[in-house]
């Protein structure tokens, strides 16, 4: 818990009322440092719910500017067209919960900066819209031993997975990237998956509940949820420890590992 910070009992009363949550869990949240990469469709509910829950420090990474087309799903940016998304998110948090300290980084995640960016955080929440950034975050977090919450969305569908030292990693699920294309998205789909990521983050930080160490697939057209067991791949260079640093050539084209 940050020095001199007391729990605002009125603000957090509804979660403090949960018998197995209480002040101990709230103190863990207030003392936590979380990195959120992407302040768009997934990042919006993650930022909203982690800041309202009282996570003490958030680092929000996004180099992009708010456009009118974003507002259908990126709900924290209302009235902020033209703003940098990380800066817009910081202002949103300052109005929602002044307990939360926010840092912003207006840059892309790259092989040359990813290790420095994730360093010092208790948890990373992955909310980008491209495979390259997801692979970079997966590999860097595995090397550093930092838990990672993955999320992705497409039309009415989405997926989420919590990646820890004891679980399979993102490369066990996807050894390489698929061709990128801009997907259609129903805004509420981002809200569902981002909310799941936020809940998983709270569980990681407080030690409560069972983590989502499988892949959760959600089909909102049929309202079906699928838990898919993912096993560690014997040939995964991240899980078997062969890859111990970030090499730029591993994040070109298909993002397949070519250098150890």
């Amino acid at each position: 818990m940050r020095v001199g910070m007391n729990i605002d009992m009125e603000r957090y009363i509804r979660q403090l009322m949960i018998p197995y949550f209480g002040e101990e869990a709230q103190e863990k949240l207030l003392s936590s440092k979380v990195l959120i990469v992407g302040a768009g469709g997934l990042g919006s509910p993650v930022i909203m719910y982690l800041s309202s829950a009282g996570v003490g420090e958030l680092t929000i990474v996004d180099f992009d500017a708010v456009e009118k087309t974003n507002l259908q799903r990126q709900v924290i940016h209302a009235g902020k067209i033209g703003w940098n998304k990380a800066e817009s998110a910081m202002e949103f948090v300052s109005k929602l919960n002044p307990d939360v300290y926010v840092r912003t980084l207006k840059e892309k995640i790259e092989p040359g900066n990813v290790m420095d960016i994730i360093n010092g955080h208790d948890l990373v929440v992955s909310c980008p819209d491209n495979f390259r950034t997801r692979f970079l975050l997966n590999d860097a977090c595995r090397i550093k031993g930092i838990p990672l919450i993955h999320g992705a969305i497409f039309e009415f569908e989405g997926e989420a997975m919590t990646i820890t030292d004891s679980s399979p990693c993102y490369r066990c699920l996807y050894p390489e990237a698929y061709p990128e294309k801009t997907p259609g998205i129903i805004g509420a789909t981002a809200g569902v998956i981002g909310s799941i990521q936020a809940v998983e983050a709270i569980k990681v930080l407080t030690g409560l509940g069972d983590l989502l160490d499988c892949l959760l697939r959600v089909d909102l057209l049929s309202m079906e949820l699928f838990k898919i067991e993912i096993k560690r791949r014997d040939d995964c260079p991240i899980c078997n420890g062969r890859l111990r640093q970030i090499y730029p050539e591993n994040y070109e084209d298909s993002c397949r590992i070519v250098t150890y």
Side-chain angles (χ1 to χ4, degrees), residues 71-198:
L71 300 180
Q72 167 254 11
R73 62 201 177 280
Q74 300 179 20
V75 294
I76 65 173
H77 302 305
K80 307 265 189 63
I81 292 175
W83 285 49
N84 168 263
K85 291 182 183 179
E87 294 288 342
S88 170
M90 180 172 67
E91 187 187 61
F92 176 88
V93 173
S94 71
K95 293 179 178 179
L96 181 64
N97 189 353
D99 284 356
V100 181
Y101 174 73
V102 180
R103 296 173 60 242
T104 62
L105 292 175
K106 295 174 280 188
E107 56 188 288
K108 289 184 178 181
I109 298 290
E110 296 288 355
N113 65 15
V114 64
M115 297 296 272
D116 288 337
I117 288 175
I118 71 169
N119 193 42
H121 293 91
D122 301 304
L123 173 69
V124 176
V125 186
S126 175
C127 304
D129 60 359
N130 64 88
F131 279 106
R132 184 172 184 264
T133 304
R134 294 182 194 124
F135 280 117
L136 275 166
L137 292 173
N138 175 79
D139 299 352
C141 285
R142 182 64 106 197
I143 292 168
K144 283 278 192 178
I146 299 173
L148 175 72
I149 313 292
H150 159 68
I153 50 178
F154 176 79
E155 297 178 356
F156 282 88
E157 301 175 13
E159 65 180 38
M161 181 178 177
T162 297
I163 299 167
T164 65
D165 284 342
S166 62
S167 74
C169 79
Y170 187 69
R171 285 192 183 274
C172 295
L173 177 62
Y174 300 114
E176 60 184 279
Y178 295 107
E180 298 277 8
K181 63 179 182 178
T182 301
I185 297 168
I186 294 298
T189 305
V192 170
I193 300 300
S195 295
I196 290 170
Q197 288 181 281

Side-chain angles (χ1 to χ4, degrees), residues 29-88:
L29 291 182
L30 288 166
S31 65
S32 296
K33 298 180 180 179
V34 175
L35 174 69
I36 302 170
V37 178
L42 291 173
S44 289
V46 170
I47 291 164
M48 180 168 61
Y49 285 119
L50 292 189
S51 59
S52 63
V55 171
E57 295 190 24
L58 296 179
T59 302
I60 301 172
V61 182
D62 204 310
F63 65 92
D64 208 358
V66 179
E67 299 178 358
K68 189 174 183 179
T69 58
N70 300 148
L71 300 180
Q72 167 254 11
R73 62 201 177 280
Q74 300 179 20
V75 294
I76 65 173
H77 302 305
K80 307 265 189 63
I81 292 175
W83 285 49
N84 168 263
K85 291 182 183 179
E87 294 288 342
S88 170

